Amino acid sequence: MALNFIAKLLLVLTFAAFSAGATRSQLRETKLTVFFHDFIAGPNTTVIPVAGIAGKLWTFTQFGTVYVTDDPLTATPDLNSAVVGRGQGVYVTSGLDGLNTHVLISIVFTNKKYNGSTLEIHGTSKQFEAVREVSVVSGTGKFRFARGYATFETLLVDAATFYSVERCNVTVEHY
Protein backbone atom coordinates (compact mmCIF):
# COMPACT_ATOMS: atom_id res chain seq x y z
CA MET A 1 0.00 0.00 0.00
CA ALA A 2 2.76 2.45 1.01
CA LEU A 3 4.77 1.47 -2.06
CA ASN A 4 1.77 2.19 -4.30
CA PHE A 5 1.40 5.65 -2.71
CA ILE A 6 5.12 6.40 -3.22
CA ALA A 7 4.96 5.28 -6.86
CA LYS A 8 1.98 7.58 -7.47
CA LEU A 9 3.71 10.45 -5.69
CA LEU A 10 6.86 10.02 -7.82
CA LEU A 11 4.73 9.92 -10.95
CA VAL A 12 2.98 13.17 -9.99
CA LEU A 13 6.29 14.89 -9.12
CA THR A 14 7.87 13.74 -12.38
CA PHE A 15 4.89 15.02 -14.36
CA ALA A 16 4.97 18.36 -12.50
CA ALA A 17 8.69 18.80 -13.16
CA PHE A 18 8.27 17.90 -16.83
CA SER A 19 5.33 20.32 -17.19
CA ALA A 20 7.23 23.17 -15.55
CA GLY A 21 10.18 22.60 -17.88
CA ALA A 22 7.97 22.56 -20.94
CA THR A 23 6.22 25.77 -19.88
CA ARG A 24 9.51 27.52 -19.16
CA SER A 25 10.69 26.91 -22.72
CA GLN A 26 7.65 28.84 -24.01
CA LEU A 27 8.64 32.04 -22.18
CA ARG A 28 9.87 34.91 -24.35
CA GLU A 29 11.99 37.83 -23.24
CA THR A 30 11.14 41.31 -24.47
CA LYS A 31 13.21 44.43 -23.92
CA LEU A 32 11.77 47.79 -24.81
CA THR A 33 12.22 51.49 -24.09
CA VAL A 34 9.49 54.10 -23.83
CA PHE A 35 9.65 57.76 -22.82
CA PHE A 36 7.23 59.28 -20.29
CA HIS A 37 6.39 62.97 -20.80
CA ASP A 38 5.27 64.63 -17.53
CA PHE A 39 3.45 67.95 -17.51
CA ILE A 40 2.85 69.05 -13.91
CA ALA A 41 1.22 72.40 -14.72
CA GLY A 42 -0.48 74.21 -17.56
CA PRO A 43 -3.24 73.29 -20.01
CA ASN A 44 -1.76 69.84 -20.80
CA THR A 45 -1.24 68.68 -17.19
CA THR A 46 -0.68 64.92 -16.99
CA VAL A 47 0.33 64.57 -13.30
CA ILE A 48 -1.76 66.08 -10.50
CA PRO A 49 -1.91 65.71 -6.71
CA VAL A 50 -5.31 64.43 -5.58
CA ALA A 51 -4.81 63.85 -1.84
CA GLY A 52 -2.42 64.62 0.97
CA ILE A 53 -2.12 65.59 4.62
CA ALA A 54 -4.50 68.40 5.54
CA GLY A 55 -2.66 71.66 6.18
CA LYS A 56 0.51 70.50 4.39
CA LEU A 57 1.68 71.49 0.94
CA TRP A 58 1.08 68.62 -1.49
CA THR A 59 4.50 68.06 -3.08
CA PHE A 60 6.56 65.15 -4.39
CA THR A 61 8.56 65.17 -1.15
CA GLN A 62 5.65 65.49 1.32
CA PHE A 63 4.80 62.14 2.93
CA GLY A 64 1.26 61.04 2.10
CA THR A 65 0.81 63.02 -1.10
CA VAL A 66 -1.03 61.03 -3.78
CA TYR A 67 -0.67 61.84 -7.48
CA VAL A 68 -2.51 60.46 -10.49
CA THR A 69 -0.90 60.41 -13.90
CA ASP A 70 -1.80 59.87 -17.53
CA ASP A 71 1.42 60.57 -19.43
CA PRO A 72 1.92 60.21 -23.17
CA LEU A 73 4.56 57.58 -24.00
CA THR A 74 6.72 57.99 -27.07
CA ALA A 75 9.33 55.96 -28.96
CA THR A 76 12.08 58.59 -28.46
CA PRO A 77 12.64 61.47 -26.00
CA ASP A 78 11.14 63.89 -28.56
CA LEU A 79 7.53 64.67 -27.65
CA ASN A 80 6.72 64.76 -31.37
CA SER A 81 7.99 61.21 -31.99
CA ALA A 82 5.64 58.26 -32.47
CA VAL A 83 3.21 57.77 -29.59
CA VAL A 84 3.32 54.17 -28.33
CA GLY A 85 0.85 54.44 -25.46
CA ARG A 86 -0.03 56.03 -22.13
CA GLY A 87 1.47 55.72 -18.65
CA GLN A 88 -1.55 55.69 -16.34
CA GLY A 89 -1.57 55.22 -12.59
CA VAL A 90 -0.79 56.48 -9.12
CA TYR A 91 2.29 57.72 -7.26
CA VAL A 92 2.28 58.03 -3.46
CA THR A 93 5.06 59.71 -1.52
CA SER A 94 5.51 56.84 0.92
CA GLY A 95 8.80 57.61 2.65
CA LEU A 96 8.51 59.70 5.81
CA ASP A 97 11.62 61.55 4.63
CA GLY A 98 10.04 62.17 1.19
CA LEU A 99 12.71 60.22 -0.66
CA ASN A 100 10.63 57.21 -1.73
CA THR A 101 7.53 57.05 -3.89
CA HIS A 102 5.30 54.01 -4.22
CA VAL A 103 4.52 53.53 -7.92
CA LEU A 104 1.47 51.79 -9.44
CA ILE A 105 1.60 52.40 -13.19
CA SER A 106 0.04 50.72 -16.20
CA ILE A 107 1.82 51.06 -19.52
CA VAL A 108 -1.14 50.97 -21.90
CA PHE A 109 0.05 50.34 -25.45
CA THR A 110 -1.74 51.98 -28.40
CA ASN A 111 0.86 51.41 -31.11
CA LYS A 112 0.37 48.85 -33.86
CA LYS A 113 2.80 46.24 -32.49
CA TYR A 114 1.37 45.99 -28.94
CA ASN A 115 -2.04 47.70 -29.28
CA GLY A 116 -4.33 46.82 -26.38
CA SER A 117 -1.60 45.14 -24.34
CA THR A 118 -0.48 46.42 -20.94
CA LEU A 119 2.40 46.09 -18.51
CA GLU A 120 1.78 46.61 -14.79
CA ILE A 121 4.54 48.33 -12.81
CA HIS A 122 4.55 48.27 -9.03
CA GLY A 123 7.10 49.11 -6.37
CA THR A 124 9.11 51.64 -4.42
CA SER A 125 10.96 54.23 -6.47
CA LYS A 126 13.85 56.07 -4.84
CA GLN A 127 12.83 59.23 -6.62
CA PHE A 128 16.09 61.19 -6.29
CA GLU A 129 18.44 58.46 -7.53
CA ALA A 130 19.76 58.66 -11.09
CA VAL A 131 18.30 55.25 -11.99
CA ARG A 132 15.26 53.84 -10.22
CA GLU A 133 14.27 50.17 -10.54
CA VAL A 134 10.76 48.82 -9.98
CA SER A 135 9.02 45.52 -10.64
CA VAL A 136 6.90 44.58 -13.61
CA VAL A 137 4.35 42.34 -11.92
CA SER A 138 1.93 41.45 -14.70
CA GLY A 139 0.67 42.18 -18.16
CA THR A 140 -2.14 41.58 -20.61
CA GLY A 141 -2.46 40.84 -24.31
CA LYS A 142 0.95 40.18 -25.84
CA PHE A 143 2.45 40.50 -22.35
CA ARG A 144 0.17 37.99 -20.63
CA PHE A 145 1.71 36.73 -17.36
CA ALA A 146 4.61 39.18 -17.71
CA ARG A 147 7.19 39.54 -14.97
CA GLY A 148 10.39 41.47 -14.89
CA TYR A 149 11.70 44.91 -14.07
CA ALA A 150 11.74 48.47 -15.32
CA THR A 151 14.26 51.24 -14.78
CA PHE A 152 13.45 54.93 -14.89
CA GLU A 153 15.95 57.72 -15.62
CA THR A 154 15.16 61.41 -15.71
CA LEU A 155 16.49 62.82 -19.00
CA LEU A 156 15.09 66.35 -18.86
CA VAL A 157 13.57 68.67 -16.27
CA ASP A 158 12.41 72.07 -17.50
CA ALA A 159 11.38 73.95 -14.34
CA ALA A 160 10.19 76.96 -16.34
CA THR A 161 7.55 74.93 -18.21
CA PHE A 162 6.96 72.22 -15.55
CA TYR A 163 7.88 69.53 -18.10
CA SER A 164 10.08 66.46 -17.70
CA VAL A 165 11.04 63.39 -19.71
CA GLU A 166 11.71 59.98 -18.16
CA ARG A 167 13.29 57.05 -20.01
CA CYS A 168 11.75 53.72 -19.02
CA ASN A 169 13.70 50.59 -19.95
CA VAL A 170 11.63 47.42 -19.52
CA THR A 171 12.79 43.80 -19.48
CA VAL A 172 10.06 41.17 -19.14
CA GLU A 173 9.47 37.48 -19.61
CA HIS A 174 6.02 36.53 -20.87
CA TYR A 175 4.11 33.95 -22.87
Side-chain angles (χ1 to χ4, degrees):
M1 181 87 160
L3 189 56
N4 192 18
F5 173 75
I6 292 173
K8 288 179 182 178
L9 180 61
L10 285 174
L11 181 63
V12 167
L13 291 174
T14 301
F15 179 73
F18 177 73
S19 296
T23 302
R24 178 79 182 148
S25 68
Q26 295 172 350
L27 280 176
R28 293 183 305 233
E29 181 180 84
T30 298
K31 293 182 179 187
L32 52 93
T33 300
V34 296
F35 296 86
F36 283 67
H37 297 269
D38 283 340
F39 297 90
I40 60 172
N44 299 317
T45 300
T46 62
V47 180
I48 60 168
V50 295
I53 298 172
K56 299 273 187 172
L57 188 60
W58 295 356
T59 68
F60 282 105
T61 58
Q62 177 57 53
F63 174 73
T65 304
V66 179
Y67 288 84
V68 294
T69 185
D70 186 2
D71 289 342
L73 305 178
T74 60
T76 73
D78 182 354
L79 182 59
N80 297 314
S81 68
V83 173
V84 297
R86 305 293 295 189
Q88 300 173 331
V90 177
Y91 303 110
V92 180
T93 305
S94 56
L96 285 171
D97 58 6
L99 298 179
N100 293 334
T101 300
H102 193 77
V103 177
L104 299 159
I105 298 291
S106 297
I107 295 178
V108 181
F109 291 95
T110 58
N111 62 338
K112 187 174 182 179
K113 185 172 185 180
Y114 300 120
N115 189 30
S117 299
T118 65
L119 287 170
E120 304 304 321
I121 295 174
H122 182 169
T124 297
S125 175
K126 298 177 185 216
Q127 61 179 334
F128 295 105
E129 293 195 2
V131 178
R132 285 112 28 222
E133 183 175 312
V134 291
S135 300
V136 176
V137 297
S138 187
T140 64
K142 293 192 177 182
F143 297 110
R144 192 168 288 130
F145 293 113
R147 65 176 183 229
Y149 66 96
T151 60
F152 286 86
E153 300 170 71
T154 303
L155 300 181
L156 170 74
V157 175
D158 185 343
T161 61
F162 302 102
Y163 170 67
S164 67
V165 178
E166 306 278 332
R167 176 176 40 222
C168 177
N169 295 312
V170 177
T171 301
V172 291
E173 289 183 332
H174 58 95
Y175 291 99

